[in-house]
Amino acid sequence: MGSADSKLNFRKAVIQLTTKTQPVEATDDAFWDQFWADTATSVQDVFALVPAAEIRAVREESPSNLATLCYKAVEKLVQGAESGCHTEKERQIVLNCCRLLTRILPYIFEDPDWRGFFWSTVPGAGRGGGDEDDENARPLAESLLLAVADLLFCPDFTVQSHRRSTVDTAEDIHSIDSCEYIWEAGVGFAHSPQPNYIHDLNRTELLKLLLTCFSEAMYLPPSSDSSNANPWVQFFCSTENRHALPLFTSLLNVVCAYDPVGYGIPYNHLLFSDYREPLVEEAAQVLIVTLDYDSSTSSSPTVDGTTTGTAMDDVDPPGPDNLFVNYLSRIHREEDFQFILKGVARLLSNPLVQTYLPNSAKKIQFHQELLVLFWKLCDFNKKFLFFVLKSSDVLDILVPILYFLNDARADQSRVGLMHIGVFILLLLSGERNFGVRLNKPYSVRVPMDIPVFTGTHADLLIIVFHKIITSGHQRLQPLFDCLLTIVVNVSPYLKSLSMVAANKLLHLLEAFSTTWFLFSAVQNHHLVFFLLEVFNNIIQYQFDGNSNLVYAVIRKRNVFHQLANLPTDSQSIQKGLQRKKKTPEPISRTNSQDGVSMEGSRPAAPAEPGTLKTSLVATPGIDKLTEKSQVSEDGTMRSLEPESSQPPPEGNPPAAVSDGEPWSREASHPRRDRRRLSSASSSGQWTPTPDWVMSWKSKLPLQTIMRLLQVLVPQVEKICIDKGLTDESEILKFLQHGTLVGLLPVPHPILIRKYQANSGTAMWFRTYMWGVIYLRNVDPPIWYDTDVKLFEIQRV
């Protein structure tokens, strides 16, 4: 039968379904078979031939027909899984049912009255066939998920058959060990099966259905209540699914082994259709959704792999019930970590690969899913995190992230990408090794719209952060705290900042310490505290080698003097607020190359008009995102208990969070908004008061810098007068040999703000991840125009 005929028959069946007001019996196979038995329709056809309005009409007007259609389609999948899909016809039926369910499920999820339907049992659909009591019947959702899992390891359908001869009986689907059929070599599996594009296509369709099953999460409003776990994911990742391990391994290996460049032949992707890429995208999306798990509520393993328990616990506390999370957290072999890290770094760097032949390398689009996956790996598997930081390989993750951050800074539709990039860097910056790794010289020249500089990866990070803060769009303001926290965390380890980066840091201080900025919002002064902490850390721990920064501080000494003499009377506060928001002049510097951008770079472009974006929940403030740890002499860290916050001794930087205000600029919980020092009037409009300014001005950690200026400024001025110098290289030479030993206050202990898991970020990741999946699945548009509740869809 021609494809046009089969589409016509399928369309007729759909119309019959919508027009029949009487329920059609489940036993009427002649009627139901029209939907899957005789048709050869692609998933795109199914979406075109089953319009949304008709699905909703059946749902409202003949609900029992919709129920029977779902039940019969699942039954066909179960039969296919039981028989092993040996014939072409069976495979066709399975794929048709798969496509039909992918089309219908979102319309079942969007209606609260239907949401429980798949979790009810259907009479007669017992676990072992008809005769048993209905108590043993499985809910429809469980039958569906188990059938899909079986079908994903079905010889000659989704995996290579191991049988050599045709004489042998077909492999019995129940006796095969699916661990021998893992899709790709990598973690825990050494054999790379022969590529087979038909298998790839079939796997992709089944994974699409799986993702659609999991997407019930999109139809529930955001809630940080971790108890409402996704029942579909929960069941699929439980011990009930005998394929959980091989499937987890297959998904992870398929993603990490993928090389979009193919065989290294330029333009390869234009000659051959790549069947692997859609599978890899789908695998990455299924993987991150199954790993959606709030680690802050669990007894998650601590740094050394032991769990946070007392010596009294003689048994290991059980890992999470979610087997995917469990397996991920238990990976431990060096070669597995190497394989994962290399794969993720290769894929993240792919969009940056600029070859001399434009478009010669295939550009992947799923970097956001990869970033979520990398985050989950570091969050759930501390051994992986330490492996990443053990060598300079971490820089292969850092550079692409900085590239994405710089590239997306002007684009409102990519604000989620900006957040996840910054979260990952915050997580990494909590470990001393990250700061140490940043000292590696930056020689690769990724085409980025930033000033040309010669220096290290630390310089690159500071220059990109400066660019985000000074030329990103408004909605990035909540990230400023995070960006500067990262710089504070790495600052004690930075051996030699370039002049360009040193000037950027001072430019930020200049911008953030204007009276207009300091007085215009309740938490703006925190940014000044962070920057002062950066300067103090570098001066106290890395003075030798940082003559560029010391010189920049001397040149901009008036900024520090103005801060020390900040007026606190009402009149000055009012005057400060009336000054128009002037952006400080970019720092001019003789022979500076600030104007020149890197070769091949394009400025960050705002989103195209009409671009869709999904909304995000507010992220927790930095005080909720991090906990303070003190680094002791031997490099170990101990967590500082927030309760015992003694007033800081003279000369120590104060806890920048001492004001008890929420830090998140989009304060997510108004009830946390403590009214302090009359800083909030009854109308809710905040106004700065002299008491408020005094309360933090007195804690500005300026002692170290003032002492440095007191000692060095007269010396530098003397050199200039004596030698008639105007050349800064001579001054730099002098500063390189200078020393402040014994002249500075006693160094304060190094404080690191380490990321801590919390339900707020778990919720943020859920909305971000599903928003990405929603927007990326356009062919077919699985969720488009359905009534999602987890986020809002807006046009830029």
Side-chain angles (χ1 to χ4, degrees):
M1 182 169 55
S3 130
D5 293 345
S6 69
K7 281 185 204 174
L8 193 62
N9 292 352
F10 179 74
R11 180 69 194 131
K12 276 186 191 151
V14 174
I15 290 168
Q16 283 176 309
L17 189 69
T18 50
T19 49
K20 281 188 195 291
T21 45
Q22 289 306 305
V24 184
E25 286 301 318
T27 49
D28 184 351
D29 285 338
F31 175 75
W32 298 113
D33 281 350
Q34 303 176 91
F35 288 98
W36 39 74
D38 322 318
T39 55
T41 45
S42 68
V43 68
Q44 285 77 6
D45 292 336
V46 172
F47 272 68
L49 298 170
V50 188
E54 292 180 21
I55 304 175
R56 289 190 175 112
V58 178
R59 189 182 71 193
E60 307 311 325
E61 285 143 39
S62 33
S64 74
N65 285 347
L66 182 61
T68 308
L69 181 68
C70 291
Y71 160 60
K72 294 294 284 186
V74 172
E75 187 182 55
K76 288 291 170 203
L77 290 181
V78 171
Q79 286 168 3
E82 289 286 318
S83 73
C85 280
H86 294 303
T87 67
E88 200 43 59
K89 185 172 169 78
E90 284 175 292
R91 289 172 200 161
Q92 197 56 63
I93 289 176
V94 161
L95 289 171
N96 283 333
C97 291
C98 189
R99 292 159 189 163
L100 197 58
L101 286 165
T102 302
R103 179 62 173 141
I104 293 170
L105 275 165
Y107 297 91
I108 289 199
F109 295 149
E110 73 174 6
D111 184 337
D113 296 338
W114 274 84
R115 219 167 279 146
F117 167 70
F118 269 85
W119 293 96
S120 58
T121 50
V122 177
R127 290 171 190 232
D131 310 331
E132 295 175 44
D133 298 339
D134 280 338
E135 287 97 84
N136 287 342
R138 272 202 183 280
L140 203 51
E142 294 187 4
S143 304
L144 170 55
L145 291 171
L146 294 177
V148 171
D150 279 337
L151 289 164
L152 286 166
F153 292 99
C154 196
D156 289 326
F157 179 50
T158 48
V159 291
Q160 213 74 47
S161 171
H162 289 185
R163 298 278 157 153
R164 291 283 163 267
S165 97
T166 46
V167 185
D168 275 334
T169 50
E171 287 160 279
D172 174 19
I173 194 85
H174 295 288
S175 63
I176 71 167
D177 172 5
S178 45
C179 284
E180 294 173 9
Y181 290 88
I182 287 169
W183 301 348
E184 188 56 72
V187 175
F189 193 68
H191 168 67
S192 196
Q194 196 57 39
N196 180 319
Y197 80 93
I198 300 285
H199 294 172
D200 277 1
L201 291 174
N202 294 342
R203 291 164 178 173
T204 304
E205 297 228 35
L206 286 160
L207 290 180
K208 223 182 255 308
L209 172 56
L210 204 48
L211 196 59
T212 310
C213 291
F214 297 157
S215 71
E216 185 182 42
M218 282 194 208
Y219 298 90
L220 300 169
S223 117
S224 52
D225 177 11
S226 53
S227 65
N228 64 11
N230 183 330
W232 295 84
V233 171
Q234 229 173 350
F235 178 78
F236 190 77
C237 299
S238 74
T239 48
E240 294 268 4
N241 177 0
R242 70 188 182 98
H243 303 292
L245 178 60
L247 190 62
F248 168 76
T249 311
S250 293
L251 295 172
L252 184 61
N253 291 355
V254 155
V255 172
C256 295
Y258 178 56
D259 185 357
V261 180
Y263 300 105
I265 310 162
Y267 299 104
N268 197 20
H269 64 290
L270 302 178
L271 308 178
F272 309 103
S273 189
D274 178 356
Y275 294 100
R276 202 23 79 110
E277 189 182 19
L279 173 65
V280 174
E281 289 197 5
E282 215 64 52
Q285 291 176 3
V286 169
L287 202 47
I288 60 177
V289 169
T290 50
L291 295 170
D292 176 21
Y293 177 79
D294 182 355
S295 60
S296 66
T297 58
S298 69
S299 60
S300 57
T302 50
V303 165
D304 55 355
T306 58
T307 29
T308 40
T310 61
M312 302 299 290
D313 305 331
D314 47 351
V315 287
D316 278 344
D321 299 332
N322 177 324
L323 290 179
F324 280 37
V325 173
N326 211 327
Y327 297 143
L328 184 77
S329 66
R330 297 213 311 251
I331 298 172
H332 60 277
R333 292 181 7 200
E334 293 259 319
E335 56 268 42
D336 289 342
F337 287 156
Q338 189 61 36
F339 165 74
I340 294 171
L341 181 57
K342 279 271 179 274
V344 173
R346 178 195 323 114
L347 291 169
L348 283 178
S349 310
N350 161 274
L352 291 52
V353 175
Q354 286 285 336
T355 52
Y356 293 107
L357 306 169
N359 302 325
S360 66
K362 184 174 184 128
K363 264 202 169 51
I364 61 154
Q365 300 296 322
F366 55 98
H367 48 273
Q368 299 192 84
E369 292 94 320
L370 286 163
L371 290 172
V372 176
L373 178 60
F374 183 77
W375 169 269
K376 300 278 181 200
L377 280 154
C378 293
D379 193 21
F380 296 151
N381 190 323
K382 288 293 168 266
K383 289 193 170 104
F384 176 75
L385 177 61
F386 293 130
F387 176 84
V388 169
L389 292 167
K390 205 169 68 172
S391 73
S392 54
D393 288 352
V394 65
L395 303 175
D396 298 336
I397 300 287
L398 170 74
V399 172
I401 288 178
L402 292 176
Y403 172 87
F404 293 131
L405 291 177
N406 185 56
D407 188 53
R409 68 180 192 275
D411 181 347
Q412 285 222 23
S413 69
R414 292 194 280 169
V415 69
L417 170 64
M418 299 291 296
H419 276 76
I420 186 172
V422 172
F423 282 157
I424 289 173
L425 299 182
L426 179 66
L427 181 69
L428 295 173
S429 74
E431 306 301 332
R432 172 182 179 273
N433 263 353
F434 182 64
V436 174
R437 298 286 159 239
L438 290 178
N439 290 308
K440 187 175 177 183
Y442 174 69
S443 49
V444 255
R445 285 284 177 244
V446 171
M448 277 159 113
D449 173 30
I450 54 170
V452 175
F453 69 96
T454 303
T456 64
H457 284 76
D459 295 310
L460 177 69
L461 177 124
I462 288 168
I463 292 167
V464 169
F465 282 11
H466 173 269
K467 193 99 181 181
I468 294 167
I469 291 170
T470 56
S471 68
H473 58 78
Q474 269 314 104
R475 290 190 51 226
L476 297 178
Q477 267 220 331
L479 282 176
F480 291 1
D481 289 333
C482 262
L483 291 166
L484 293 186
T485 298
I486 294 163
V487 180
V488 173
N489 281 349
V490 301
S491 59
Y493 311 109
L494 304 183
K495 294 199 179 305
S496 62
L497 285 186
S498 68
M499 190 60 95
V500 176
N503 281 335
K504 295 302 182 197
L505 286 175
L506 280 145
H507 180 227
L508 289 178
L509 182 69
E510 204 173 4
F512 291 150
S513 56
T514 60
T515 48
W516 180 87
F517 184 78
L518 284 174
F519 298 158
S520 63
V522 70
Q523 68 287 56
N524 283 355
H525 62 278
H526 290 301
L527 300 172
V528 169
F529 275 82
F530 280 143
L531 284 163
L532 291 175
E533 206 176 320
V534 170
F535 297 134
N536 286 337
N537 280 341
I538 293 178
I539 291 166
Q540 291 183 328
Y541 290 98
Q542 301 289 350
F543 180 80
D544 299 334
N546 270 303
S547 51
N548 287 329
L549 183 79
V550 173
Y551 178 63
V553 166
I554 291 173
R555 284 185 57 249
K556 287 286 169 187
R557 55 191 178 276
N558 64 323
V559 178
F560 299 97
H561 290 302
Q562 280 164 3
L563 266 176
N565 302 316
L566 190 74
T568 56
D569 58 291
S570 300
Q571 205 179 349
S572 304
I573 293 175
Q574 285 317 308
K575 214 164 99 188
L577 281 172
Q578 277 146 19
R579 286 200 194 142
K580 260 274 118 324
K581 182 180 183 182
K582 286 210 307 272
T583 44
E585 285 302 296
I587 291 171
S588 57
R589 200 171 85 67
T590 46
N591 73 26
S592 151
Q593 300 169 304
D594 273 19
V596 191
S597 272
M598 292 195 178
E599 193 183 337
S601 66
R602 293 181 312 284
E608 303 269 319
T611 305
L612 288 182
K613 67 181 178 110
T614 52
S615 63
L616 291 161
V617 292
T619 54
I622 196 83
D623 55 334
K624 296 281 179 292
L625 265 180
T626 54
E627 60 180 3
K628 283 212 178 120
S629 302
Q630 194 169 317
V631 183
S632 51
E633 294 292 312
D634 59 357
T636 55
M637 292 195 194
R638 60 187 184 87
S639 180
L640 293 184
E641 296 307 320
E643 300 82 58
S644 62
S645 51
Q646 310 275 297
E650 229 3 79
N652 273 13
V657 212
S658 53
D659 302 1
E661 301 127 0
W663 283 33
S664 162
R665 288 176 174 62
E666 304 160 1
S668 41
H669 301 292
R671 64 195 161 68
R672 286 209 311 246
D673 219 347
R674 282 168 253 170
R675 303 269 163 92
R676 292 199 36 101
L677 301 171
S678 67
S679 57
S681 63
S682 53
S683 67
Q685 185 55 53
W686 174 82
T687 50
T689 61
D691 281 353
W692 172 76
V693 179
M694 281 300 297
S695 74
W696 55 260
K697 179 190 166 183
S698 61
K699 297 183 195 137
L700 284 167
L702 287 163
Q703 303 86 332
T704 300
I705 294 170
M706 289 310 189
R707 188 81 187 104
L708 173 137
L709 292 172
Q710 200 185 343
V711 174
L712 292 179
V713 170
Q715 298 182 359
V716 168
E717 285 175 340
K718 186 171 185 314
I719 294 179
C720 294
I721 294 164
D722 289 356
K723 302 200 175 165
L725 274 189
T726 49
D727 176 23
E728 65 183 26
S729 63
E730 285 289 321
I731 301 169
L732 284 167
K733 209 173 287 174
F734 163 73
L735 291 173
Q736 266 160 18
H737 301 295
T739 172
L740 292 174
V741 173
L743 296 171
L744 292 178
V746 178
H748 57 272
I750 295 176
L751 286 182
I752 300 286
R753 292 173 185 80
K754 286 173 81 85
Y755 166 81
Q756 54 174 357
N758 60 70
S759 50
T761 40
M763 189 59 236
W764 185 89
F765 272 94
R766 186 170 310 140
T767 54
Y768 170 61
M769 164 184 84
W770 278 113
V772 168
I773 291 171
Y774 176 96
L775 293 172
R776 297 256 299 108
N777 282 274
V778 287
D779 182 26
I782 302 182
W783 299 281
Y784 193 67
D785 271 349
T786 59
D787 187 17
V788 293
K789 293 274 192 295
L790 184 61
F791 43 77
E792 288 164 22
I793 294 108
Q794 300 130 344
R795 281 194 184 280
V796 176

